[in-house]
Amino acid sequence: MRVSNRADRPRSPEIDPDVTGKELDRITRAELRYLDEKNFDWVAKHLVMAGRLIDIDPDVAYEHAMAASRRGGRVAVVREAVGLTAYTAGNYAEALREFRTFRRISGSNIHLPVMADCERGLGKPEKALETAHSDEAETLDTPGRVEMAIVASGAQSDLGNREAALAELQIPQLDINRAFSFSPRLFEAYAIALEALGKNGEAELWRRQISLAERALGVGEFSDPDIMDLGEDDDEDEDAPSGRPRARDLVNDAGTEPAEGQAGADSETDESESEPDHDAEAAEEPAEAVVTTEDVPGGSNDDSESATDGDADAVSDPFDPEK
């Protein structure tokens, strides 16, 4: 496998001894199926390593993704991994180029918010706004539209348009009484936009609501501790469905944090090769929780305009803005 370390290219990073490549989910492994066995193993193992290191050492994660691309560069998920690791490492030009290639191969607009944020990272907020307000952006799912609104708000702020930055976030999903998986980030962005306008009182209300939303959703400081299975079932059927995340979840997931001042894209849409699985689609809707509170300016109380309900419901403690 080290034969790819030619003199004219950087040496590929080492793969941990415990990595087999089988850590990838079935769908991603299926995307790599046209590769021969040797290249399949190489690409799969480097993708696993990219996912393992992206939050620890983004630069090395990017090197692993690049190593995978040397033998699987025509596979959409590989180019996606290169884009995500490059973005996390702050290499916005490379990330933008890879996301464009991924888009051409897959036909998916899923990473448009990250592409717009890369334009911001390259000092082109006008280009970011052009992407945010494009027809293609209308095809995004609900979490994707929220991420795009956050990026657009940041771009307006870059241009000194503070009122416009606030307006970009006044979308139907901005509801102080309801919390979805994307709500804490949206609430925080809205609070920042309010503070930029000197509306510190309103900003404080939204900041306090972030904690309530996280508590209701069971995320952030209220998330359950990770449970790791230290054993391994030797009789496990490789082709049987498993709970392993997709490669893009390993590499990106909602946990991919953009560089400071940049909004990331935390939404992914899995595509099946067969007919749609309605149960699977329902599971991918953003989780919702009800967060009861007094009305606050800027919040939407129209349930019909809110994001699609998820399959998790919870009720938090009432919130009194007077306190």
Side-chain angles (χ1 to χ4, degrees), residues 246-300:
R246 296 202 55 186
R248 62 188 54 172
D249 298 325
L250 286 170
V251 177
N252 186 28
D253 198 14
T256 300
E257 292 294 337
E260 185 176 355
Q262 304 294 316
D266 38 66
S267 163
E268 298 299 339
T269 303
D270 291 341
E271 297 178 1
S272 174
E273 298 179 10
S274 58
E275 295 184 1
D277 185 339
H278 298 293
D279 292 336
E281 291 176 0
E284 291 188 9
E285 292 293 344
E288 177 200 355
V290 177
V291 185
T292 306
T293 160
E294 300 289 336
D295 291 341
V296 172
S300 169

Short mmCIF file of all heavy atoms in Angstrom, two decimals, residues 246-300:
data_model
loop_
_atom_site.label_atom_id
_atom_site.label_comp_id
_atom_site.label_asym_id
_atom_site.label_seq_id
_atom_site.Cartn_x
_atom_site.Cartn_y
_atom_site.Cartn_z
N ARG A 246 -22.34 6.83 8.37
CA ARG A 246 -21.81 6.94 7.03
C ARG A 246 -20.44 7.63 7.08
O ARG A 246 -20.12 8.33 8.01
CB ARG A 246 -22.76 7.74 6.14
CG ARG A 246 -24.09 7.05 5.97
CD ARG A 246 -24.78 7.54 4.72
NE ARG A 246 -23.91 7.38 3.56
CZ ARG A 246 -24.21 7.84 2.36
NH1 ARG A 246 -25.31 8.49 2.17
NH2 ARG A 246 -23.37 7.67 1.36
N ALA A 247 -19.68 7.45 6.01
CA ALA A 247 -18.35 8.05 5.96
C ALA A 247 -18.44 9.56 6.11
O ALA A 247 -17.65 10.19 6.79
CB ALA A 247 -17.66 7.70 4.64
N ARG A 248 -19.44 10.17 5.46
CA ARG A 248 -19.56 11.61 5.57
C ARG A 248 -19.90 12.03 6.99
O ARG A 248 -19.57 13.12 7.44
CB ARG A 248 -20.61 12.14 4.58
CG ARG A 248 -22.02 11.62 4.82
CD ARG A 248 -22.95 12.02 3.70
NE ARG A 248 -22.41 11.60 2.41
CZ ARG A 248 -23.07 11.68 1.28
NH1 ARG A 248 -24.29 12.15 1.27
NH2 ARG A 248 -22.54 11.28 0.14
N ASP A 249 -20.61 11.11 7.75
CA ASP A 249 -20.89 11.42 9.15
C ASP A 249 -19.61 11.32 9.96
O ASP A 249 -19.37 12.10 10.88
CB ASP A 249 -21.94 10.47 9.71
CG ASP A 249 -23.27 10.60 8.97
OD1 ASP A 249 -23.59 11.73 8.57
OD2 ASP A 249 -23.95 9.59 8.79
N LEU A 250 -18.76 10.32 9.63
CA LEU A 250 -17.48 10.19 10.32
C LEU A 250 -16.62 11.41 10.08
O LEU A 250 -15.94 11.91 10.97
CB LEU A 250 -16.74 8.94 9.82
CG LEU A 250 -17.27 7.59 10.29
CD1 LEU A 250 -16.58 6.48 9.52
CD2 LEU A 250 -17.07 7.40 11.77
N VAL A 251 -16.64 11.91 8.83
CA VAL A 251 -15.75 13.01 8.47
C VAL A 251 -16.35 14.35 8.84
O VAL A 251 -15.64 15.28 9.19
CB VAL A 251 -15.47 12.96 6.95
CG1 VAL A 251 -14.60 14.13 6.53
CG2 VAL A 251 -14.77 11.66 6.60
N ASN A 252 -17.69 14.45 8.77
CA ASN A 252 -18.28 15.77 9.00
C ASN A 252 -19.18 15.78 10.21
O ASN A 252 -18.83 16.22 11.28
CB ASN A 252 -19.07 16.19 7.77
CG ASN A 252 -19.57 17.60 7.88
OD1 ASN A 252 -18.97 18.40 8.57
ND2 ASN A 252 -20.66 17.90 7.22
N ASP A 253 -20.36 15.15 10.05
CA ASP A 253 -21.39 15.14 11.07
C ASP A 253 -21.68 16.57 11.49
O ASP A 253 -21.18 17.51 10.92
CB ASP A 253 -20.93 14.29 12.28
CG ASP A 253 -22.12 13.90 13.14
OD1 ASP A 253 -23.26 14.06 12.66
OD2 ASP A 253 -21.91 13.43 14.25
N ALA A 254 -22.50 16.78 12.46
CA ALA A 254 -22.75 18.12 12.95
C ALA A 254 -21.61 18.62 13.77
O ALA A 254 -21.53 19.78 14.10
CB ALA A 254 -24.03 18.15 13.78
N GLY A 255 -20.69 17.70 14.14
CA GLY A 255 -19.59 18.09 15.01
C GLY A 255 -18.47 18.80 14.31
O GLY A 255 -17.56 19.30 14.95
N THR A 256 -18.47 18.88 12.97
CA THR A 256 -17.40 19.60 12.30
C THR A 256 -17.51 21.06 12.59
O THR A 256 -18.46 21.70 12.22
CB THR A 256 -17.48 19.37 10.79
OG1 THR A 256 -17.36 17.99 10.55
CG2 THR A 256 -16.40 20.14 10.08
N GLU A 257 -16.51 21.62 13.24
CA GLU A 257 -16.55 23.02 13.61
C GLU A 257 -15.76 23.85 12.63
O GLU A 257 -14.59 23.58 12.38
CB GLU A 257 -15.95 23.22 15.01
CG GLU A 257 -16.79 22.60 16.11
CD GLU A 257 -18.13 23.29 16.25
OE1 GLU A 257 -18.26 24.45 15.85
OE2 GLU A 257 -19.07 22.65 16.74
N PRO A 258 -16.37 24.89 12.03
CA PRO A 258 -15.63 25.77 11.12
C PRO A 258 -14.66 26.64 11.88
O PRO A 258 -14.72 26.75 13.10
CB PRO A 258 -16.74 26.59 10.46
CG PRO A 258 -17.82 26.61 11.49
CD PRO A 258 -17.75 25.28 12.19
N ALA A 259 -13.77 27.30 11.12
CA ALA A 259 -12.85 28.23 11.75
C ALA A 259 -13.63 29.36 12.36
O ALA A 259 -14.78 29.61 12.02
CB ALA A 259 -11.88 28.77 10.69
N GLU A 260 -13.02 30.06 13.31
CA GLU A 260 -13.69 31.12 14.04
C GLU A 260 -14.26 32.16 13.08
O GLU A 260 -13.61 32.62 12.17
CB GLU A 260 -12.69 31.81 14.98
CG GLU A 260 -13.37 32.85 15.86
CD GLU A 260 -12.40 33.45 16.85
OE1 GLU A 260 -11.25 32.97 16.91
OE2 GLU A 260 -12.80 34.37 17.57
N GLY A 261 -15.53 32.50 13.29
CA GLY A 261 -16.17 33.50 12.46
C GLY A 261 -16.83 32.90 11.23
O GLY A 261 -17.45 33.58 10.46
N GLN A 262 -16.68 31.60 11.04
CA GLN A 262 -17.24 30.97 9.86
C GLN A 262 -18.33 30.01 10.29
O GLN A 262 -18.21 29.30 11.26
CB GLN A 262 -16.16 30.19 9.09
CG GLN A 262 -14.97 31.05 8.70
CD GLN A 262 -15.38 32.11 7.71
OE1 GLN A 262 -16.09 31.83 6.77
NE2 GLN A 262 -14.95 33.32 7.91
N ALA A 263 -19.40 29.96 9.50
CA ALA A 263 -20.48 29.03 9.79
C ALA A 263 -20.27 27.77 9.00
O ALA A 263 -19.85 27.80 7.86
CB ALA A 263 -21.83 29.67 9.40
N GLY A 264 -20.52 26.62 9.61
CA GLY A 264 -20.30 25.38 8.91
C GLY A 264 -21.59 24.76 8.43
O GLY A 264 -22.66 25.18 8.80
N ALA A 265 -21.46 23.78 7.68
CA ALA A 265 -22.62 23.07 7.24
C ALA A 265 -22.75 21.79 8.01
O ALA A 265 -21.84 21.02 8.05
CB ALA A 265 -22.50 22.73 5.76
N ASP A 266 -23.80 21.59 8.75
CA ASP A 266 -23.94 20.42 9.59
C ASP A 266 -25.09 19.54 9.19
O ASP A 266 -25.59 18.78 9.97
CB ASP A 266 -24.15 20.76 11.06
CG ASP A 266 -24.98 21.91 11.33
OD1 ASP A 266 -25.99 21.92 11.10
OD2 ASP A 266 -24.38 22.71 11.79
N SER A 267 -25.42 19.63 7.97
CA SER A 267 -26.54 18.83 7.56
C SER A 267 -26.13 17.93 6.43
O SER A 267 -25.47 18.33 5.51
CB SER A 267 -27.66 19.75 7.12
OG SER A 267 -28.59 19.03 6.35
N GLU A 268 -26.55 16.65 6.48
CA GLU A 268 -26.24 15.72 5.42
C GLU A 268 -27.51 14.98 5.04
O GLU A 268 -28.34 14.66 5.86
CB GLU A 268 -25.20 14.70 5.88
CG GLU A 268 -23.89 15.33 6.24
CD GLU A 268 -23.27 16.04 5.08
OE1 GLU A 268 -23.64 15.72 3.93
OE2 GLU A 268 -22.45 16.92 5.30
N THR A 269 -27.66 14.66 3.72
CA THR A 269 -28.82 13.94 3.25
C THR A 269 -28.36 12.67 2.57
O THR A 269 -27.69 12.73 1.55
CB THR A 269 -29.62 14.79 2.26
OG1 THR A 269 -29.99 16.00 2.90
CG2 THR A 269 -30.86 14.04 1.78
N ASP A 270 -28.67 11.50 3.15
CA ASP A 270 -28.27 10.24 2.56
C ASP A 270 -29.14 9.93 1.36
O ASP A 270 -30.33 10.18 1.36
CB ASP A 270 -28.42 9.10 3.59
CG ASP A 270 -27.40 9.26 4.69
OD1 ASP A 270 -26.40 9.98 4.49
OD2 ASP A 270 -27.61 8.67 5.75
N GLU A 271 -28.51 9.36 0.32
CA GLU A 271 -29.26 8.97 -0.86
C GLU A 271 -29.17 7.46 -1.00
O GLU A 271 -28.10 6.88 -0.96
CB GLU A 271 -28.68 9.65 -2.10
CG GLU A 271 -28.80 11.17 -2.05
CD GLU A 271 -28.17 11.81 -3.27
OE1 GLU A 271 -27.69 11.04 -4.14
OE2 GLU A 271 -28.20 13.03 -3.35
N SER A 272 -30.30 6.80 -1.18
CA SER A 272 -30.31 5.35 -1.31
C SER A 272 -30.31 4.95 -2.77
O SER A 272 -30.80 5.68 -3.61
CB SER A 272 -31.55 4.79 -0.61
OG SER A 272 -31.66 3.43 -0.84
N GLU A 273 -29.76 3.78 -3.06
CA GLU A 273 -29.74 3.32 -4.44
C GLU A 273 -31.06 2.66 -4.81
O GLU A 273 -31.32 2.42 -5.98
CB GLU A 273 -28.60 2.31 -4.62
CG GLU A 273 -27.22 2.91 -4.36
CD GLU A 273 -26.13 1.88 -4.52
OE1 GLU A 273 -26.42 0.77 -5.00
OE2 GLU A 273 -24.99 2.20 -4.17
N SER A 274 -31.91 2.35 -3.85
CA SER A 274 -33.19 1.74 -4.12
C SER A 274 -34.30 2.73 -3.87
O SER A 274 -34.07 3.91 -3.71
CB SER A 274 -33.35 0.50 -3.23
OG SER A 274 -33.24 0.87 -1.89
N GLU A 275 -35.55 2.23 -3.79
CA GLU A 275 -36.67 3.12 -3.54
C GLU A 275 -36.54 3.74 -2.17
O GLU A 275 -35.98 3.16 -1.26
CB GLU A 275 -37.98 2.32 -3.64
CG GLU A 275 -38.24 1.80 -5.05
CD GLU A 275 -39.56 1.11 -5.13
OE1 GLU A 275 -40.25 1.08 -4.09
OE2 GLU A 275 -39.93 0.60 -6.20
N PRO A 276 -37.10 4.94 -1.99
CA PRO A 276 -36.95 5.64 -0.70
C PRO A 276 -37.48 4.83 0.45
O PRO A 276 -38.50 4.18 0.35
CB PRO A 276 -37.77 6.92 -0.91
CG PRO A 276 -37.84 7.09 -2.40
CD PRO A 276 -37.85 5.72 -2.97
N ASP A 277 -36.75 4.84 1.55
CA ASP A 277 -37.17 4.20 2.79
C ASP A 277 -37.78 5.27 3.66
O ASP A 277 -37.09 6.09 4.22
CB ASP A 277 -35.96 3.57 3.47
CG ASP A 277 -36.35 2.80 4.71
OD1 ASP A 277 -37.45 3.08 5.24
OD2 ASP A 277 -35.58 1.94 5.14
N HIS A 278 -39.12 5.25 3.76
CA HIS A 278 -39.80 6.33 4.47
C HIS A 278 -39.46 6.37 5.94
O HIS A 278 -39.42 7.42 6.57
CB HIS A 278 -41.30 6.20 4.27
CG HIS A 278 -41.71 6.33 2.83
ND1 HIS A 278 -41.58 7.52 2.13
CD2 HIS A 278 -42.21 5.43 1.94
CE1 HIS A 278 -42.00 7.35 0.89
NE2 HIS A 278 -42.38 6.09 0.74
N ASP A 279 -39.19 5.17 6.53
CA ASP A 279 -38.80 5.17 7.94
C ASP A 279 -37.45 5.82 8.12
O ASP A 279 -37.21 6.57 9.06
CB ASP A 279 -38.74 3.73 8.47
CG ASP A 279 -40.13 3.11 8.54
OD1 ASP A 279 -41.10 3.89 8.62
OD2 ASP A 279 -40.24 1.87 8.51
N ALA A 280 -36.53 5.55 7.18
CA ALA A 280 -35.20 6.16 7.27
C ALA A 280 -35.29 7.66 7.07
O ALA A 280 -34.60 8.43 7.72
CB ALA A 280 -34.27 5.55 6.22
N GLU A 281 -36.16 8.09 6.13
CA GLU A 281 -36.30 9.53 5.90
C GLU A 281 -36.81 10.22 7.15
O GLU A 281 -36.38 11.32 7.50
CB GLU A 281 -37.25 9.77 4.73
CG GLU A 281 -36.66 9.33 3.38
CD GLU A 281 -37.67 9.51 2.26
OE1 GLU A 281 -38.78 9.97 2.57
OE2 GLU A 281 -37.34 9.19 1.11
N ALA A 282 -37.76 9.59 7.83
CA ALA A 282 -38.31 10.21 9.04
C ALA A 282 -37.25 10.34 10.11
O ALA A 282 -37.22 11.32 10.85
CB ALA A 282 -39.48 9.37 9.57
N ALA A 283 -36.35 9.36 10.17
CA ALA A 283 -35.31 9.40 11.19
C ALA A 283 -34.33 10.52 10.96
O ALA A 283 -33.67 10.97 11.88
CB ALA A 283 -34.57 8.07 11.23
N GLU A 284 -34.21 11.01 9.70
CA GLU A 284 -33.23 12.04 9.41
C GLU A 284 -33.78 13.45 9.54
O GLU A 284 -33.07 14.42 9.35
CB GLU A 284 -32.69 11.84 7.99
CG GLU A 284 -31.85 10.59 7.87
CD GLU A 284 -31.18 10.50 6.53
OE1 GLU A 284 -31.23 11.49 5.78
OE2 GLU A 284 -30.59 9.45 6.24
N GLU A 285 -35.08 13.58 9.84
CA GLU A 285 -35.63 14.90 10.07
C GLU A 285 -35.03 15.48 11.35
O GLU A 285 -34.72 14.75 12.29
CB GLU A 285 -37.15 14.82 10.19
CG GLU A 285 -37.85 14.44 8.88
CD GLU A 285 -37.70 15.50 7.82
OE1 GLU A 285 -37.33 16.64 8.17
OE2 GLU A 285 -37.92 15.20 6.64
N PRO A 286 -34.86 16.79 11.42
CA PRO A 286 -34.28 17.38 12.63
C PRO A 286 -35.14 17.10 13.85
O PRO A 286 -36.37 17.24 13.80
CB PRO A 286 -34.24 18.88 12.29
CG PRO A 286 -35.24 19.06 11.20
CD PRO A 286 -35.22 17.79 10.41
N ALA A 287 -34.50 16.68 14.93
CA ALA A 287 -35.23 16.40 16.15
C ALA A 287 -35.81 17.67 16.72
O ALA A 287 -35.21 18.73 16.68
CB ALA A 287 -34.29 15.75 17.17
N GLU A 288 -37.02 17.58 17.25
CA GLU A 288 -37.70 18.76 17.76
C GLU A 288 -37.99 18.61 19.24
O GLU A 288 -38.24 17.51 19.73
CB GLU A 288 -39.03 18.97 17.02
CG GLU A 288 -39.83 20.13 17.57
CD GLU A 288 -41.29 20.05 17.21
OE1 GLU A 288 -41.67 19.16 16.46
OE2 GLU A 288 -42.06 20.90 17.70
N ALA A 289 -37.96 19.70 19.95
CA ALA A 289 -38.40 19.73 21.33
C ALA A 289 -39.15 21.03 21.55
O ALA A 289 -38.88 22.03 20.90
CB ALA A 289 -37.21 19.65 22.28
N VAL A 290 -40.13 21.00 22.44
CA VAL A 290 -40.89 22.20 22.73
C VAL A 290 -40.23 22.94 23.88
O VAL A 290 -39.92 22.35 24.90
CB VAL A 290 -42.34 21.85 23.11
CG1 VAL A 290 -43.11 23.10 23.48
CG2 VAL A 290 -43.02 21.12 21.97
N VAL A 291 -39.99 24.22 23.69
CA VAL A 291 -39.36 25.05 24.72
C VAL A 291 -40.31 26.20 25.00
O VAL A 291 -40.34 27.19 24.28
CB VAL A 291 -37.99 25.59 24.25
CG1 VAL A 291 -37.32 26.35 25.37
CG2 VAL A 291 -37.12 24.45 23.78
N THR A 292 -41.13 26.05 26.02
CA THR A 292 -42.16 27.05 26.31
C THR A 292 -41.56 28.29 26.93
O THR A 292 -40.79 28.22 27.87
CB THR A 292 -43.21 26.46 27.26
OG1 THR A 292 -43.70 25.25 26.69
CG2 THR A 292 -44.35 27.44 27.46
N THR A 293 -41.95 29.44 26.41
CA THR A 293 -41.45 30.72 26.91
C THR A 293 -42.37 31.83 26.47
O THR A 293 -43.22 31.66 25.62
CB THR A 293 -40.03 31.01 26.39
OG1 THR A 293 -39.78 32.39 26.49
CG2 THR A 293 -39.86 30.60 24.97
N GLU A 294 -42.21 32.98 27.06
CA GLU A 294 -42.97 34.14 26.64
C GLU A 294 -42.54 34.54 25.24
O GLU A 294 -41.43 34.25 24.80
CB GLU A 294 -42.69 35.31 27.60
CG GLU A 294 -43.06 35.00 29.05
CD GLU A 294 -44.56 34.94 29.26
OE1 GLU A 294 -45.28 35.56 28.44
OE2 GLU A 294 -44.99 34.27 30.20
N ASP A 295 -43.42 35.24 24.51
CA ASP A 295 -43.06 35.70 23.17
C ASP A 295 -41.95 36.72 23.26
O ASP A 295 -41.92 37.58 24.12
CB ASP A 295 -44.28 36.34 22.48
CG ASP A 295 -45.33 35.30 22.15
OD1 ASP A 295 -45.00 34.11 22.12
OD2 ASP A 295 -46.47 35.71 21.93
N VAL A 296 -41.02 36.64 22.32
CA VAL A 296 -39.91 37.57 22.26
C VAL A 296 -39.85 38.11 20.84
O VAL A 296 -40.05 37.37 19.89
CB VAL A 296 -38.58 36.84 22.59
CG1 VAL A 296 -37.40 37.76 22.33
CG2 VAL A 296 -38.59 36.40 24.04
N PRO A 297 -39.61 39.41 20.66
CA PRO A 297 -39.54 39.96 19.32
C PRO A 297 -38.57 39.18 18.45
O PRO A 297 -37.47 38.86 18.87
CB PRO A 297 -39.02 41.40 19.55
CG PRO A 297 -39.46 41.71 20.92
CD PRO A 297 -39.37 40.43 21.69
N GLY A 298 -39.00 38.86 17.22
CA GLY A 298 -38.14 38.15 16.29
C GLY A 298 -38.44 36.67 16.25
O GLY A 298 -38.04 35.99 15.33
N GLY A 299 -39.15 36.13 17.24
CA GLY A 299 -39.47 34.71 17.27
C GLY A 299 -40.75 34.44 16.54
O GLY A 299 -41.68 35.23 16.56
N SER A 300 -40.84 33.28 15.87
CA SER A 300 -42.03 32.90 15.14
C SER A 300 -42.83 31.95 15.98
O SER A 300 -42.32 31.02 16.56
CB SER A 300 -41.63 32.23 13.82
OG SER A 300 -42.76 31.64 13.22
#
